[in-house]
Amino acid sequence: MAKTTLKKVHGYLAEFESAVDVYHASEQIRDAGFSRWDVHTPYPVHGLNEAMGVKRSILPWFVFFGGATGTTTAFSLAFITQVLIYPTIVQAKPTNIFTTPAFFPIMFELTILFSAFTTLFGCFALMGLPRWNHPLFASKQFKKFSDDTFIVCIEARDPKFHQAETKAFLEQVGGKNIELVEDEL
Amino acid sequence: MELSKVSKLNGIFLGVGALGLLISACYMFGLLGEQRQKEFAYSWLFAFFFFFTITNGGLFWTMLQHISNSGWSVAVRRFFENLAGNIRVMAVFALPLIFFSPFKNALWEWIVAHQDAAAAAGGDTLKGLEEASHTNHHLHILVAKFGYLNIPFWTLRAVLYFVFLGGMATLLRRWSIKQDGDGDFKHSFRARAFCAFPLLFYALAVTFSAVDWVMSMDYTWFSTMWGVYIFAGGAWSSMALSIIALSYVRSHGYLKKIVSMEHYHLMGKLLFAFTVFWAYIAFSQFFLIWYANITEETRFFILRNTNNWWYLSNILVWGHFVLTFVLLLSAGRKKKPDSIVWVCAWVLIMHFADIYWLIIPERAPSLSHGTVLWYDGAWWGDLAAFLGIGGIVGWAYLRRLATASLYPCRDPRLLESVKAVN
């Protein structure tokens, strides 16, 4: 496909000088009802989740069912092979449902393994990873977030986004160097 | 804390404790017959050991908080310090077990064997045991274990456990309270340095007290998981008890601005961790014995899977671990004092079941030489001993809470603790 010179708006970037500033700005952005936006900080800021109004992730539910699948898989694997298909009799111990303790180690391990995989890949899926590039990487000032600057980005896909009003709003909450980031189509 | 604010509960504790001890004394001195006296020895060991493990747990958490220099826990540390202070009360309740012959003879068959051997060989116990082992082959194991399991060393160890545990609990609490007065940082540093090496001796004291008093009830049985199993249950239940005590004190208007829901969450997480740890250790102990299937080892679990004990074993699996695990998974529940208190009460009930399961199944088979598994009506003695020791220990704990500030008010890390976020 031929490249075009057309671009689409990704969103607005605004710089803040301190964690306090970005914290209070986040509270105002949250209260204004934005949903598609994020804060980029050089280090974790305690309480920022609450200030941003971030909801609890649904990842734990994935992990729960991932882990349960692991337990079931391990139990079936051991029970079907060791009891149903080929009963393994050791030291005259019976092979039936009451020998389940012998299967506990493998049930434990597979529960952990499946939970860990679900956590990792579920996390990737929810974050939209892996991907080749991100529109924000086009911005020169964005790089400073990993050094000494706190950056807020309100994305254009937010239903409340407005080219003029959102910019004014970011200025009003104290944002500096507000930049319109565009993405190549 | 004003003692008058808790005087009602404290009065109940004292009344129940006094009544329980009165009935216990009737059992103990044989007023209800020699058979009941022997049965009651097991009741007393059960009640003593239940509270002994919880008290040890209090000392463990105090020492752990010092050695790890933990900032978050300063606001709640005094609950553990005061709980550990009970060790001196427990020492008094241990006296009948260590020095009262009818109890010793009823509880520990090896003590009887040693006394018989000493009498037969004119005072030389080891020689007597060797001679007797030619006719009773079970006694070979007592000859082999003689270096560790003999009456003078056993008595000396019991004294050393209490000197060490009591000394640690007293010193750490004394320094902490001294800091309330002078605000000197050196108390914090001293406590930290002082806990490092003795933590090893703490582990040894907990392990070998459990070996000496509970495992040696059947001198032919052994388990290398024993000490850590007892420790896991003690640390677990002492955390639950401290959360209940904290909530009780807060309900009277104290610590409202010092302890936040973050502390509840952190303590709940430790409770959760030890739920899993106990299950891990308990299952490992069961699993190794079940798998190896060696006659000397399996007896412990066969007895506890026979008749009605099977139900109690299952209650431990599903109640001690599975239900508690599920209840403690939710972060929200751990942060809500009203709901976590009920989980903690459940934890204490399960610890009760655990210690009961460890000690009482030995009673009837030991006393009847294997002819019966259960004595009807002996549980009244269990109840009397439990209420007697529990009432007095609870009374002493509440009184101790009231003798000093409820939190280390001049600890250098107090602000860090109050602002703790996790």
Side-chain angles (χ1 to χ4, degrees), chain A residues 26-27 29-31 34-35 37-39 45 47-58:
Chain A
S26 297
E27 289 176 327
I29 299 169
R30 172 194 69 194
D31 295 342
F34 286 98
S35 53
W37 61 290
D38 207 350
V39 181
V45 178
L48 194 59
N49 280 355
E50 287 74 19
M52 288 174 66
V54 177
K55 289 198 186 67
R56 195 176 151 83
S57 166
I58 58 160

Side-chain angles (χ1 to χ4, degrees), chain B residues 42 46 299-317 352-366 372-376 378-379 382:
Chain B
Y42 289 81
F46 152 71
R299 186 193 166 278
F300 180 87
F301 285 108
I302 290 173
L303 175 60
R304 283 160 183 77
N305 280 336
T306 307
N307 288 359
N308 292 333
W309 292 121
W310 183 83
Y311 294 103
L312 188 57
S313 299
N314 269 279
I315 287 172
L316 285 182
V317 173
F352 179 99
D354 184 25
I355 302 295
Y356 202 80
W357 178 84
L358 288 177
I359 292 170
I360 300 301
E362 294 288 341
R363 174 162 56 198
S366 282
V372 290
L373 279 173
W374 176 257
Y375 283 133
D376 282 328
W379 63 272
D382 305 342

Side-chain angles (χ1 to χ4, degrees), chain B residues 109-302:
Chain B
E109 286 159 313
W110 69 268
I111 286 186
V112 179
H114 275 228
Q115 284 166 354
D116 292 348
D124 190 343
T125 314
L126 185 58
K127 190 162 157 258
L129 280 176
E130 275 167 358
E131 281 167 8
S133 67
H134 297 313
T135 46
N136 181 357
H137 296 295
H138 288 298
L139 294 179
H140 280 299
I141 204 161
L142 280 187
V143 175
K145 287 181 178 181
F146 190 77
Y148 178 80
L149 208 59
N150 60 67
I151 297 171
F153 190 28
W154 180 84
T155 315
L156 175 69
R157 282 198 302 269
V159 174
L160 288 180
Y161 300 146
F162 282 107
V163 168
F164 170 74
L165 295 170
M168 288 303 296
T170 310
L171 274 182
L172 290 175
R173 183 167 182 272
R174 183 179 296 159
W175 291 343
S176 181
I177 289 172
K178 214 177 235 174
Q179 194 175 47
D180 290 355
D182 59 18
D184 198 337
F185 289 3
K186 80 172 184 208
H187 298 298
S188 295
F189 296 121
R190 188 164 59 171
R192 193 196 318 167
F194 187 63
C195 281
F197 201 48
L199 205 54
L200 172 68
F201 290 103
Y202 169 83
L204 294 176
V206 169
T207 301
F208 287 105
S209 61
V211 168
D212 281 357
W213 301 333
V214 184
M215 195 165 99
S216 81
M217 284 197 299
D218 176 359
Y219 63 84
T220 60
W221 186 75
F222 45 86
S223 161
T224 48
M225 309 293 284
W226 191 250
V228 70
Y229 176 85
I230 300 293
F231 157 75
W236 187 64
S237 47
S238 66
M239 182 55 80
L241 184 75
S242 298
I243 295 176
I244 292 177
L246 171 65
S247 304
Y248 178 71
V249 165
R250 274 172 63 90
S251 75
H252 284 279
Y254 295 102
L255 294 176
K256 288 275 186 199
K257 288 181 178 159
I258 304 295
V259 176
S260 68
M261 295 312 111
E262 295 294 322
H263 294 95
Y264 273 95
H265 191 201
L266 284 156
M267 291 168 88
K269 284 201 276 194
L270 285 169
L271 190 66
F272 178 72
F274 269 79
T275 308
V276 181
F277 183 62
W278 178 89
Y280 175 70
I281 296 301
F283 178 70
S284 300
Q285 178 168 272
F286 169 76
F287 191 53
L288 291 176
I289 291 174
W290 181 80
Y291 224 111
N293 210 7
I294 301 171
T295 319
E296 294 95 310
E297 293 179 348
T298 47
R299 186 193 166 278
F300 180 87
F301 285 108
I302 290 173

Side-chain angles (χ1 to χ4, degrees), chain B residues 35-55:
Chain B
Q35 174 64 16
R36 289 286 179 221
Q37 183 191 35
K38 284 181 183 171
E39 290 168 6
F40 186 73
Y42 289 81
S43 310
W44 190 259
L45 179 63
F46 152 71
F48 164 79
F49 205 66
F50 176 83
F51 291 103
F52 180 71
T53 48
I54 295 182
T55 308

